[in-house]
Amino acid sequence: MNGTRDGPSSEHSRIGNSPLTRAAVLAAALEIIDHSGVERLSMRRLGKALGRDPMALYRHAVNKAAVLDGVAETVLGQLTVDSSDPDWQHQLRLIARDFRRIAVDHPNVVPLLVTHPLATPLGLRPIGTLRPLERILSLLTRSDFTGSDALHIYRALFGFLYGHVLTELQEIVERPEEPTDLLRLGLHRLPIGEFPLLRGLASDLAAYDGVEELERGLDILLTGLAENVPPPPTAPPPAAITANGDRK
């Protein structure tokens, strides 16, 4: 065996000999969550992954809840929002695609992004998780929406996105080796004579495509928002006055 190859112990040793930072703590926590889920994260396990005494971690996060908040901030920090985009619908579509990508890349973090914040008052949430909201509000108010309408659009968009990613990540095929979609999805277990429409849609259910479903949903959502929450019309520029006092 090649003795120079890095294994887990050498990796831990290398981390243990380097300065411990909040970024390193959160990166290790995210890796544990990605591989094992939120429930398997503990300060003891995090300390082991970093090659440090767990007590050393408390200088960077006061408890596990603070680590989870930091992980949510880290992941949402990957969400790109260009508040200067003059085409608000185009920008919201890019944001939606980006959010879905983040959710698919880190499915075990989704509860921290979707359900966990609902138990925390807005002003007490981690600052980093509020920045996308502020930037989207800036995008929309720059497009002449009122603050109230901008908030309505944000809520409609993320309400849709939360539902979409939860649906996509929970689409489960029971027995992929079965010859028909009805059997693959376990719909044959439903009472005979009931749910005829659901049974009839077995092929559509089995062919679920998260990217396509997202785009179709965005088409419906953004078209509806543009029609029902239009920005106020831009006032025409004042007419120029000529030297003799006439308006052009």
Side-chain angles (χ1 to χ4, degrees), residues 15 43 67 70 77-78 96 133 149-150 198 202 215-216 234 242 248:
I15 294 173
M43 300 301 274
V67 173
Q78 301 174 26
L133 167 58
D149 283 345
L198 196 55
E215 296 300 329
R216 292 185 66 181
T234 303
T242 63
K248 290 183 178 179

Side-chain angles (χ1 to χ4, degrees), residues 100 164 207-219:
R100 177 192 171 272
H164 173 85
Y208 182 89
D209 183 322
V211 173
E212 180 181 352
E213 290 289 334
L214 178 73
E215 296 300 329
R216 292 185 66 181
L218 287 171
D219 287 341

Side-chain angles (χ1 to χ4, degrees), residues 89 93 96-97 100 157 160-161 164 168 201 204-205 207-225:
Q89 292 191 55
R93 194 177 289 273
R97 293 169 182 166
R100 177 192 171 272
L157 174 67
F160 163 70
L161 286 177
H164 173 85
E168 180 174 355
L201 288 169
D204 296 271
L205 291 166
Y208 182 89
D209 183 322
V211 173
E212 180 181 352
E213 290 289 334
L214 178 73
E215 296 300 329
R216 292 185 66 181
L218 287 171
D219 287 341
I220 295 168
L221 177 67
L222 295 178
T223 299
L225 287 171

Side-chain angles (χ1 to χ4, degrees), residues 188-194 199:
H188 62 290
R189 301 178 185 278
L190 298 177
I192 296 176
E194 295 189 47
R199 285 171 174 268

Side-chain angles (χ1 to χ4, degrees), residues 37-227:
V38 173
E39 66 282 355
R40 296 298 301 277
L41 177 68
S42 66
M43 300 301 274
R44 181 181 297 277
R45 185 171 184 180
L46 186 53
K48 183 177 180 181
L50 290 164
R52 298 298 181 92
D53 186 319
M55 295 304 295
L57 306 182
Y58 291 100
R59 288 195 289 270
H60 303 279
V62 295
N63 51 32
K64 177 180 173 178
V67 173
L68 296 180
D69 284 345
V71 168
E73 287 185 294
T74 299
V75 172
L76 275 182
Q78 301 174 26
L79 186 65
T80 301
V81 180
D82 180 3
S83 59
S84 65
D85 191 338
D87 186 340
W88 65 273
Q89 292 191 55
H90 172 258
Q91 184 59 210
L92 291 187
R93 194 177 289 273
L94 294 180
I95 292 167
R97 293 169 182 166
D98 210 19
F99 185 84
R100 177 192 171 272
R101 175 192 59 79
I102 290 169
V104 171
D105 287 348
H106 303 284
N108 290 335
V109 180
V110 167
L112 300 181
L113 306 180
V114 177
T115 58
H116 179 67
L118 299 179
T120 307
L122 197 64
L124 298 180
R125 295 177 193 175
I127 294 295
T129 65
L130 297 178
R131 289 198 175 100
L133 167 58
E134 183 69 17
R135 289 168 183 159
I136 292 172
L137 294 178
S138 177
L139 164 75
L140 294 169
T141 53
R142 283 169 182 257
S143 297
D144 294 326
F145 288 101
T146 66
S148 179
D149 283 345
L151 186 59
H152 173 76
I153 293 171
Y154 168 85
R155 285 172 172 162
L157 174 67
F158 274 82
F160 163 70
L161 286 177
Y162 291 162
H164 173 85
V165 298
L166 289 174
T167 297
E168 180 174 355
L169 295 175
Q170 292 176 12
E171 284 289 322
I172 297 175
V173 174
E174 183 188 28
R175 300 181 66 85
E177 73 281 2
E178 290 288 356
T180 70
D181 294 327
L182 190 74
L183 295 175
R184 279 196 276 278
L185 295 173
L187 294 176
H188 62 290
R189 301 178 185 278
L190 298 177
I192 296 176
E194 295 189 47
F195 308 103
L197 294 176
L198 196 55
R199 285 171 174 268
L201 288 169
S203 294
D204 296 271
L205 291 166
Y208 182 89
D209 183 322
V211 173
E212 180 181 352
E213 290 289 334
L214 178 73
E215 296 300 329
R216 292 185 66 181
L218 287 171
D219 287 341
I220 295 168
L221 177 67
L222 295 178
T223 299
L225 287 171
E227 291 178 355

